[in-house]
Amino acid sequence: MRKNIHVSILLLFAGFALLITGCSLGKSVIGKEKVVETSGKKSKWVSSEDLSYTEKDKMFFRGHVGNVYDLSLGRRQAEADAQKHITEKIAKIVETEFTAYGRGANMSKDDIGKFAADGIAWVSEKVVISGSEPVKQYWEKIETTTEGGVKYLYNIYVLVQLSVDDYNRARDRAINGLAEKARIENNKKAEEAAANLLKRLRSEKAEGATN
């Protein structure tokens, strides 16, 4: 009788240990991800730290979106992300110019920050990009284990191409729009900073054409 009780206790402890181990394994699996399918070989442009680069007379911008269920929708979102980087590149030029102008005008640090932020916001509203097109894409299908089971999501990368001339036209239109907005609002400093920026960019373009 005592032997049977001893065996029962051992079996009870063994079952409890298995239950604990199973729960632990289950928790360790939840959230696990693995790539189960790709569109092909991952090229350098996908993993590069640079979001944009230039080759001869072409500019390239990478867009990315992650954890999306629909591949077609994800491609469009990744392309929109690449377009956003074009706008950000133009806005960065404006930020640099407006910051330099503010320092030259002996504006305070806070005023320079606001002045540059206003310039970025204004120019971002004016950017109209034409001539861009997606030329490459790469995607990964990710299997993720959740408490509710397995789900599949996509990480998607799109490379958008834009000619240097089209980029320059978009940039100049946006900065011209910024100057016009500043003129209408009687913001002399912003208008002068935008005019200075356009003058410098055109001078650089002329110098590049003669070299």
Side-chain angles (χ1 to χ4, degrees), residues 42-196:
K42 182 183 283 189
S43 301
K44 183 179 179 181
W45 68 267
V46 176
S47 53
S48 172
E49 293 183 0
D50 297 324
L51 295 175
S52 65
Y53 63 93
T54 303
E55 287 185 356
K56 296 182 180 180
D57 61 344
K58 302 290 184 183
M59 300 180 73
F60 299 87
F61 295 83
R62 184 185 71 216
H64 168 247
V65 64
N67 298 323
V68 294
Y69 288 96
D70 186 85
L71 186 57
S72 296
L73 175 61
R75 286 191 187 109
R76 293 194 293 273
Q77 291 174 331
E79 185 177 347
D81 186 54
Q83 299 278 0
K84 183 185 74 173
H85 294 318
I86 300 174
T87 299
E88 288 172 346
K89 188 175 182 69
I90 295 172
K92 184 65 178 177
I93 296 172
V94 171
E95 179 186 21
T96 301
E97 185 70 26
F98 272 49
T99 299
Y101 180 93
R103 287 171 180 162
N106 293 320
M107 296 168 65
S108 70
K109 186 176 180 180
D110 288 342
D111 286 343
I112 290 173
K114 184 179 184 307
F115 185 58
D118 287 343
I120 292 169
W122 291 344
V123 82
S124 295
E125 293 174 2
K126 302 296 181 180
V127 175
V128 178
I129 301 161
S130 59
S132 66
E133 59 176 341
V135 290
K136 292 182 182 179
Q137 66 167 332
Y138 172 81
W139 54 261
E140 298 173 337
K141 187 176 183 180
I142 310 295
E143 180 184 276
T144 305
T145 304
T146 68
E147 292 183 356
V150 174
K151 65 179 181 180
Y152 296 93
L153 300 169
Y154 291 95
N155 285 332
I156 305 166
Y157 300 81
V158 169
L159 191 67
V160 167
Q161 174 184 286
L162 181 70
S163 74
V164 171
D165 285 343
D166 281 334
Y167 169 80
N168 288 341
R169 278 191 285 269
R171 180 199 64 195
D172 290 355
R173 279 197 302 267
I175 298 170
N176 269 316
L178 166 58
E180 179 64 14
K181 181 180 177 69
R183 186 188 64 77
I184 292 171
E185 296 185 1
N186 199 30
N187 189 329
K188 297 296 184 183
K189 291 180 179 179
E191 184 180 0
E192 186 176 353
N196 289 345

